[in-house]
Amino acid sequence: MTNQAQDNRPHFVLTNTSEAKPFTAHGGGGAQPVPELPRAQHGASLQAQLQTLRPMAENAASSQQDIGLESGIGLQIQFQSQPGVVLAFESLANETQHIELLSIRQEEEYTYANVFVPDGKLEHFEKYVTEYLAERKDKNGKPLDHRALLDTIETIRAAELRALWTDDPALLPQNPDESFWWEVWLPERGNRELVIEDFRKLASAVGCTVSENRVDFPERTVVMMHGSERQFSQTAMTLNCVAELRRAKETAELFDGMDTDEQQAWKDELLARTTFPTHTDDVPRVCLLDSGVNRGHPLLSPTLTSTDMHTVEQEWGKDDECNHGTGLGGIAVYGDLTDALATEMPIQISHLLESVKLTRGEGDNPGNNEFHANLFAKAVSHPEIAAPQRMRVFSSAVTATDFRDRGRPSSWSAMVDSLAADVLGGGQFPRLIVQSAGNTKEHHAWITYPDSLSTNLIHDPGQAWNSLTVGAFTEKVETEEASIAPVAPSGGLSPFTTTSAAWDKAWPLKPDVVFEGGNVGQSDGFAGTLPSLNLLTTHFKHTERLFTTTNATSAASALCSRMAAQLMATYPQLRPETIRALIVHSAEWTEAMREQYLPADKPHTKNDYTDLIRHCGWGVPDLDRALWSAANSLTLIVEDKVHPYKKDGCTIKTRDMNLHALPWPKDELEALGETQVQMRVTLSYFIEPNPSARGSASKYHYPSHRLRFDVRHHLESEEDFLARINAAAALEEDNHHTNPKDPDWRLGERRRHKGSLHQDIWEGSAADLASRGHLAIYPSLGWWRTRPKLERYNLPAHYTLIISIRAPETEIDLYNAVAAKIQTPVVIST
């Protein structure tokens, strides 16, 4: 085998940023006994504070009466405890005087109580202080001086907005002009309807919007309000109506439940702060192969022209008739609209849409007697004929209704592989195809979650080697109803998703990644979907409603396609194999995934990690990480090619391998000694499928070629490394495998080389990594070699290699050390 060294032309991307740390709240110590304060001094202080409040209370009452308020005339007062002392808050309320304790909260070593004091009732507390100073006693000598209450109080002041905030302090925006959805908890005060009416009047006057929806409790009414802290704080009258404030849990149900006028207003607001690209051929497209898209929707019309709408059957038309493709279009452009609507930040859209109507139904099979493979190929051809020069990612949520293939290639999945590799075009224009894994829709499977995940398998054509196959996870757990619990935990796999857990070990590790796909609610042995557990998107009948909800791997695949298009817009020069690699390389497993599939009571084995990947893929991708902003990491990407085979007389033999020198700073890594570092390697390439070849059920005869990667061992010389790789390649020729002796990889050589996308993670000491200065790419068996009569043995194999190092923060600057080693780098800027 010939060694083609790549030392002289590396392609590098270097990053060095900080990592966000989780918020931690620190409480005070245990409560102290009530102190005996200097009575005269403390009483005088409280008396002065109450005197300061009197004109404020009188002004508030006068203003409220002037504008015709009929409820809640009075003032909100905040009592703060002595440090480390429990505030005797129950003694602050007085039902006879209609003085109401609204809320209490603990912050550090202080207790805060908010109290509503009606007009003219401030004297209730003034009397308390007067009796405290006079050391009043009853006729039996029992103290009536309220010391047990007043000695726990440090300050009394008018309540400000932040005093009414009873949610996590971190959830209140630092910018007082940022608008968001509030949960406003209103007191009942004897006439619930009057309280609500007065609050709506006051909120409207300061520019806030109050939703029509509400929830009634015995002593509270909860309404939703949209506005900023600055708006809400313009007048004390608004605050005086409120018992407490929290941040609303913004779910799809909030927007989906709005009436048409409210949805229209939110649509207008979103469009006003959204910028779209011009319709030129250098802007990447997400091409949806689904049920069509109704481009008349005002949120979609800026991204989709009539000339970019196609269909595989003219009699079907091009429009969406089943409320599926239009919804995926909304996700592909904006992501989950819940997030887009919940912020006031400007939104920059970097890509546009194309649509091909591939099915008349909802996601599952095209519903036509023609081969699915042919329909899929026809769908891909239409936009390419219309606009051949465009960058695009093909996004398909259309799958078979069953999973009988169990990973074995089908005519449909083989066509996906062929199209991705551009077999008919000689491999000049490969395609990125994002394919949903298929869904679990049976209610009994949801009830038996998570066990059902291992038996509900990926649907055809999700087993395609060259596709980016997308499963679903979820962070949506707010059911809005206490009697209904989410089936999946936050960060766990979605109950809708499918896996490759029961596939034969020869087949690829699928899904490749997972994106948000929504959750399911359960109650009393029943399970079902809820709007609050779904993603918000665009409704196909926009003249009736603008918003609807969607879920499952269809939504997840649209999110993945959106990320791919965003990467294409940033890196237009990158090949489809590279975009696929970037997405997978950026993925991380959530804690819920790790807890589910990596047992905590024993060391994790390579089988454990394989099981994790066959359920969760490589985890949840992150756009920022894919755009090279991962914390404390150094990243190398290479787009290259290798000639795997050659003809030697009448025999086809293995030809070349590529050796890549890794620019890691040896001295700096050795200085870190036993510090644990992590190296992640991703190898992505497209194979040419041959499902009709002899032994089509064999992993060796379906792909045209297979590539492997290996990294030099600790203390292994370059000569020994090359000799070991040549020996491994020779064994592969005879259908044998090496016996790897590098245990610090998560999967290892035998498990990672499945399909046409290989990833593995090595973890060890920095000193160990310092001596691993080379990585080899070498070929393995494929039908280009075993079927010489087809004369494909001279073809090159393109591939993308991504390697990153992650290290803890240290005083040693690895970033600049690597940059200094690179003499002529090609830097891809973010």
Side-chain angles (χ1 to χ4, degrees), residues 398-446:
V398 179
T399 67
T401 55
D402 59 47
F403 48 81
R404 64 179 182 271
D405 297 293
R406 292 179 170 265
R408 182 171 59 91
S410 68
S411 61
W412 192 355
S413 72
M415 178 57 74
V416 172
D417 284 334
S418 180
L419 291 166
D422 187 34
V423 171
L424 292 180
Q428 295 185 67
F429 302 104
R431 303 171 177 92
L432 179 60
I433 300 176
V434 173
Q435 176 63 53
S436 71
N439 299 324
T440 299
K441 298 180 178 179
E442 293 77 15
H443 289 215
H444 67 82
W446 299 341

Side-chain angles (χ1 to χ4, degrees), residues 140-163:
N140 297 319
K142 182 180 178 180
L144 296 175
D145 56 4
H146 315 289
R147 191 190 74 83
L149 168 63
L150 298 182
D151 276 357
T152 67
I153 298 172
E154 183 175 76
T155 60
I156 307 172
R157 55 177 174 264
E160 299 177 346
L161 183 145
R162 290 178 179 253

Side-chain angles (χ1 to χ4, degrees), residues 43-57:
S45 173
L46 295 179
Q47 201 168 49
Q49 293 175 53
L50 288 170
Q51 287 299 315
T52 301
L53 292 175
R54 177 166 286 282
M56 299 172 63

